[in-house]
Amino acid sequence: MSERHNWRHRFQKNVFYLTLPREAILELLSRTSKHLSAKETYAYLLKKYPGIGLSTVYRTLNLLSQMGLINRLDIAKGQSCYEFRSGEKDKHHHHLICNKCGKIIDYRDFIDEEQKLVKEAKKKFAGKYNFQVQNYSIEFYGLCKDCR
């Protein structure tokens, strides 16, 4: 199944339409390894789609995040950045986020250990709290080498 077909299916399942701005943002984020802010996303898209509005970009990023198609990362100074969420294990990663400059470092260390821990945690949450975990993220906040 193509990625685009999968997006369309996810939207139909959630009773939303895959509009041009939604598809454009998904295309952009799926092709970059950068963590883009809403304003950076808007700047990229404005070149190709001059009629797109900044408020549309904000609303779309919020919807795509709620749908689990992209990850929202809260960084320094109340800013947020976004990245495409891949279901592929080899792309699974987490983040080190600098509180001062907002730099984001992707890391893939301890993935196997993490998967075991998460599997056990999901079982315990289900048994103890009758809670089904659907998603999780791990971010560490601190200071990068340049800001220390």
Side-chain angles (χ1 to χ4, degrees):
M1 181 184 307
S2 74
E3 215 167 56
R4 184 171 284 141
H5 179 73
N6 187 30
W7 296 339
R8 191 167 307 286
H9 175 73
R10 293 278 300 271
F11 274 88
Q12 290 170 344
K13 181 177 153 187
N14 287 290
V15 195
F16 292 115
Y17 292 105
L18 182 56
T19 62
L20 181 63
R22 293 170 182 173
E23 190 168 6
I25 289 173
L26 284 168
E27 284 286 336
L28 172 64
L29 293 177
S30 70
R31 289 190 191 151
T32 184
S33 60
K34 295 179 183 177
H35 304 88
L36 300 176
S37 70
K39 289 182 181 178
E40 290 169 325
T41 301
Y42 172 70
Y44 277 105
L45 294 177
L46 193 58
K47 296 171 192 168
K48 189 173 180 181
Y49 305 101
I52 196 165
L54 182 58
S55 61
T56 298
V57 171
Y58 275 105
R59 282 193 309 272
T60 301
L61 288 168
N62 187 46
L63 174 66
L64 297 175
S65 177
Q66 289 175 358
M67 290 178 68
L69 293 169
I70 63 173
N71 291 325
R72 175 183 167 178
L73 305 170
D74 296 319
I75 59 170
K77 302 172 188 122
Q79 294 277 352
S80 294
C81 285
Y82 302 86
E83 68 176 354
F84 184 73
R85 183 181 184 149
S86 174
E88 300 171 36
K89 185 180 178 190
D90 63 336
K91 292 186 179 180
H92 180 81
H93 67 276
H94 295 291
H95 305 96
L96 306 173
I97 302 172
C98 181
N99 287 323
K100 190 170 183 182
C101 70
K103 179 179 183 177
I104 301 172
I105 302 167
D106 292 342
Y107 75 92
R108 290 174 174 80
D109 305 327
F110 318 114
I111 295 294
D112 291 333
E113 295 90 337
E114 171 201 320
Q115 295 296 328
K116 291 176 189 173
L117 177 64
V118 168
K119 187 176 179 180
E120 185 62 32
K122 284 180 175 182
K123 283 184 196 176
K124 288 189 179 193
F125 294 148
K128 185 173 183 177
Y129 301 106
N130 194 23
F131 186 84
Q132 180 186 11
V133 174
Q134 295 177 328
N135 186 20
Y136 72 96
S137 66
I138 299 173
E139 283 91 38
F140 290 96
Y141 294 85
L143 296 174
C144 69
K145 68 179 181 180
D146 297 331
C147 292
R148 278 188 293 164

